[in-house]
C-alpha cells in the first residue's frame, strides 16, 4: 500500500464555483484563471471542471500549449503578455490573446510578422503599480496599437489592489473609467474579490471577469467572509490517515522542540502528512483538522512527513482513521483551506499552490 496521503480534485466543485461567479457577474464572460498550474490543482486535472468558462487565462506559453492540447479551441489570454519578441510566434500559431502592459511589448508587436492580427488586452496601471501603463500614457499606447496591422481588437484591462479590503475598488475604477470612457473595446477589471463584492456594478464586472481563487473554493476576503458566505465549495481535498496512535500522560510532550506538553492524559494521532507534502510547517498547535470528519486540532510542530493531532473529540479513531487536512471529509464535513492558511499566517492561495509533487492526486466528481 502506498503512503496514505492523497489530494482529491473535485470537478463538480470547480463547475459550481464558476456558476457562482456567473451569478455574481451576470452577462460577463469568464476567464478561468489557470496560472500556477491551476493554483496547484493541475491544469489537466482542473480542465474538466473549468471548461464551462469562456476562456482560460494563464502566464506561461507552456500552460497555453497544455490547454490547447486538452482540446480547448476558445480564447486563451496570457496575463503578463509575452516575455520576448519570439514568443509572439507561438501566439500567432496557437491563437493566443495577450496582455500588453508596457511600450516594449508594443515595439515587439510592431516588428512581428504575422498573417493574422492579434487580439490584445492593453493593461492600465490604475494604482496597483505592478504591471500596466499609467493613465496618462494609456491613450497614446492605445492609438499606437490601433494603427498596427499586427493588431486586431484591443481590449482594455486593469487590476485591483484592494478589492478584498476596506478601500475597495472605487478609486481605481474612477481612474480607469476616466481614462478610457471614449475608447472602444471590451473591458476586464475584476478578480475574485471584485466579482463577489462588486460584481453587481456593471462597470466593475464589465465584459470579462477574471475569477481565480474563488473557482478553487477559497474565499478572497477571508476572514471577513468565508466560503459558506459566498456559496463556494472546496475544489481540493488533502487527506491522509493515522499511521500511529500515542497515549500520552500528563507531562509528556509531542514532536520536535517539545512544543506541546500534555497537562492530562491524551490520545495523540500521528498523521502521514508533513511539510514535504505541502502542509505549512509554521502551523502551530491548534490548527484545525478533521479526523473521521470530526473537527479537532494539531499538536506540536509539523515535521517533514508527519504531524500530530488531538484525538480527544474522536475517541473511536484508531490506526487508519481518515484525516482531512483541508477540503471535504468522507462524511461531507468541510474544513476550508482558508482556516488552515490563517493558522499558518498565510492565504489559501499559497497552500494550494504549494501542494507537493510527491502527493498523488485523483480527480473525482
Ligand atoms: C491571478 C490573477 C487574477 C485572479 O486573481 P484572484 O484573486 O485569484 O481571483 C486576475 N487577474 C490577474 C491579472 C491575475 O494575475
Amino acid at each position: 500500500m502506498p503512503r496514505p496521503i492523497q489530494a482529491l480534485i473535485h470537478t463538480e466543485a470547480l463547475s459550481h464555483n464558476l456558476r457562482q461567479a456567473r451569478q455574481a457577474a451576470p452577462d460577463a464572460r469568464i476567464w478561468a484563471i489557470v496560472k500556477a498550474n491551476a493554483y496547484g490543482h493541475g491544469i489537466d486535472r482542473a480542465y474538466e471542471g473549468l471548461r464551462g468558462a469562456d476562456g482560460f487565462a494563464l502566464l506561461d506559453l507552456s500552460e497555453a500549449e497544455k490547454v490547447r492540447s486538452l482540446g480547448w479551441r476558445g480564447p486563451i489570454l496570457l496575463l503578463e503578455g509575452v516575455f520576448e519578441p519570439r514568443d509572439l510566434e507561438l501566439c500567432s500559431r496557437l491563437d493566443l490573446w495577450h496582455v500588453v502592459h508596457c511600450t516594449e511589448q508594443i515595439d515587439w508587436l510592431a516588428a512581428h510578422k504575422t498573417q493574422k492580427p492579434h487580439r490584445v488586452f492593453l493593461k492600465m496601471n490604475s494604482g496597483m503599480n505592478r504591471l500596466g501603463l499609467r493613465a496618462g500614457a494609456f491613450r497614446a499606447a492605445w492609438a499606437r496599437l490601433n494603427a498596427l496591422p499586427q493588431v486586431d481588437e484591443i481590449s482594455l484591462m486593469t487590476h485591483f489592489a484592494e478589492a478584498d479590503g476596506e478601500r475597495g475598488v472605487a478609486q481605481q475604477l474612477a481612474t480607469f473609467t476616466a481614462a478610457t470612457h471614449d475608447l472602444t473595446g471590451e473591458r476586464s477589471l475584476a478578480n475574485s474579490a471584485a466579482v463577489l463584492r462588486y460584481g453587481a456594478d456593471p462597470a466593475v464586472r464589465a465584459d470579462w471577469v477574471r475569477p481565480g481563487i474563488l473557482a478553487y473554493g477559497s474565499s478572497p476576503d477571508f476572514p471577513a467572509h468565508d466560503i459558506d458566505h459566498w456559496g463556494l465549495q472546496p475544489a481540493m481535498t488533502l487527506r491522509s490517515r493515522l499511521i500511529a496512535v500515542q497515549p500520552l500522560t500528563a507531562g509528556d510532550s509531542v514532536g520536535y522542540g517539545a512544543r506541546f506538553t500534555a497537562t492530562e492524559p491524551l490520545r495523540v494521532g500521528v498523521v502521514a502528512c508533513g511539510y514535504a507534502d505541502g502542509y505549512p510547517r509554521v502551523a502551530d498547535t491548534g490548527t484545525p483538522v478533521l479526523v473521521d470528519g470530526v473537527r479537532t486540532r494539531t499538536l506540536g510542530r509539523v515535521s517533514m512527513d508527519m504531524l500530530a493531532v488531538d484525538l480527544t473529540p474522536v475517541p473511536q479513531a484508531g490506526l487508519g482513521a481518515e484525516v482531512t487536512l483541508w477540503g471535504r471529509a468522507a462524511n461531507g464535513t468541510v474544513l476550508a483551506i482558508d482556516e488552515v492558511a490563517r493558522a499558518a499566517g498565510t492565504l489559501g492561495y499559497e497552500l494550494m499552490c504549494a501542494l507537493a509533487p510527491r502527493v498523488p492526486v485523483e480527480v473525482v466528481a
Side-chain angles (χ1 to χ4, degrees):
M1 179 181 167
R3 189 164 164 264
I5 193 164
Q6 190 183 36
L8 304 177
I9 305 302
H10 303 281
T11 302
E12 281 299 328
L14 291 165
S15 313
H16 166 88
N17 295 338
L18 278 190
R19 285 195 295 274
Q20 296 300 98
R22 275 206 199 281
Q23 241 173 46
D27 305 327
R29 272 159 290 159
I30 295 191
W31 291 113
I33 313 286
V34 294
K35 63 190 181 189
N37 202 21
Y39 289 47
H41 294 63
I43 290 180
D44 45 350
R45 300 184 200 110
Y47 179 70
E48 191 57 35
L50 295 176
R51 60 190 296 176
D54 300 292
F56 285 85
L58 37 76
L59 301 181
D60 245 310
L61 288 167
S62 64
E63 293 170 325
E65 283 179 306
K66 167 72 95 180
V67 173
R68 282 281 180 251
S69 78
L70 289 166
W72 180 256
R73 308 181 70 91
I76 296 179
L77 177 63
L78 296 176
L79 286 167
E80 293 177 347
V82 297
F83 302 102
E84 59 172 336
R86 66 185 183 130
D87 294 347
L88 291 167
E89 289 160 27
L90 206 58
C91 291
S92 292
R93 189 140 52 79
L94 295 178
D95 190 16
L96 308 180
W97 303 0
H98 47 102
V99 165
V100 170
H101 64 76
C102 63
T103 53
E104 290 81 354
Q105 288 176 326
I106 305 179
D107 299 337
W108 301 342
L109 259 171
H112 177 55
K113 291 183 180 37
T114 180
Q115 316 287 342
K116 199 167 165 269
H118 290 195
R119 168 98 176 241
V120 298
F121 276 61
L122 182 60
K123 185 166 189 179
M124 181 186 298
N125 169 16
S126 59
M128 176 88 159
N129 291 315
R130 209 173 50 174
L131 296 185
L133 294 129
R134 290 199 171 256
F138 198 73
R139 294 174 159 275
W142 187 91
R144 226 187 123 201
L145 282 173
N146 197 42
L148 290 183
Q150 291 89 344
V151 173
D152 155 26
E153 240 181 283
I154 307 170
S155 301
L156 314 176
M157 157 177 178
T158 195
H159 192 61
F160 295 126
E162 291 180 88
D164 57 327
E166 257 169 49
R167 296 215 319 176
V169 300
Q171 198 172 340
Q172 284 189 257
L173 180 62
T175 303
F176 180 78
T177 307
T180 59
H181 71 277
D182 57 347
L183 296 180
T184 58
E186 294 187 334
R187 281 141 167 84
S188 177
L189 299 85
N191 59 359
S192 295
V195 167
L196 293 174
R197 292 168 68 118
Y198 308 104
D201 180 348
V204 174
R205 65 176 186 264
D207 300 295
W208 290 88
V209 292
R210 307 190 302 272
I213 195 74
L214 82 76
Y216 301 102
S218 162
S219 170
D221 63 352
F222 188 83
H225 300 109
D226 62 14
I227 53 171
D228 286 342
H229 175 87
W230 296 122
L232 303 174
Q233 299 173 2
M236 180 194 288
T237 291
L238 179 62
R239 70 178 188 187
S240 187
R241 294 188 183 278
L242 295 185
I243 56 169
V245 175
Q246 297 289 348
L248 300 194
T249 56
D252 287 347
S253 53
V254 178
Y256 288 116
R259 299 263 296 178
F260 172 83
T261 302
T263 53
E264 55 193 338
L266 186 74
R267 285 174 80 235
V268 168
V270 179
V271 185
C273 176
Y275 60 78
D277 300 299
Y279 194 89
R281 181 177 175 278
V282 293
D284 215 336
T285 296
T287 303
V289 58
L290 307 177
V291 176
D292 282 341
V294 176
R295 198 176 163 105
T296 180
R297 58 176 181 152
T298 66
L299 298 173
R301 204 164 259 166
V302 174
S303 356
M304 182 186 283
D305 312 306
M306 284 174 269
L307 57 82
V309 297
D310 183 352
L311 296 181
T312 308
V314 269
Q316 82 290 352
L319 204 73
E322 174 206 35
V323 179
T324 308
L325 288 316
W326 59 69
R328 189 180 292 277
N331 72 356
T333 303
V334 166
L335 173 59
I337 195 170
D338 301 323
E339 286 198 65
V340 180
R342 186 156 197 240
T346 183
L347 304 174
Y349 293 78
E350 188 176 358
L351 295 194
M352 54 180 75
C353 289
L355 181 74
R358 81 173 185 184
V359 177
V361 184
E362 190 182 329
V363 179
V364 294

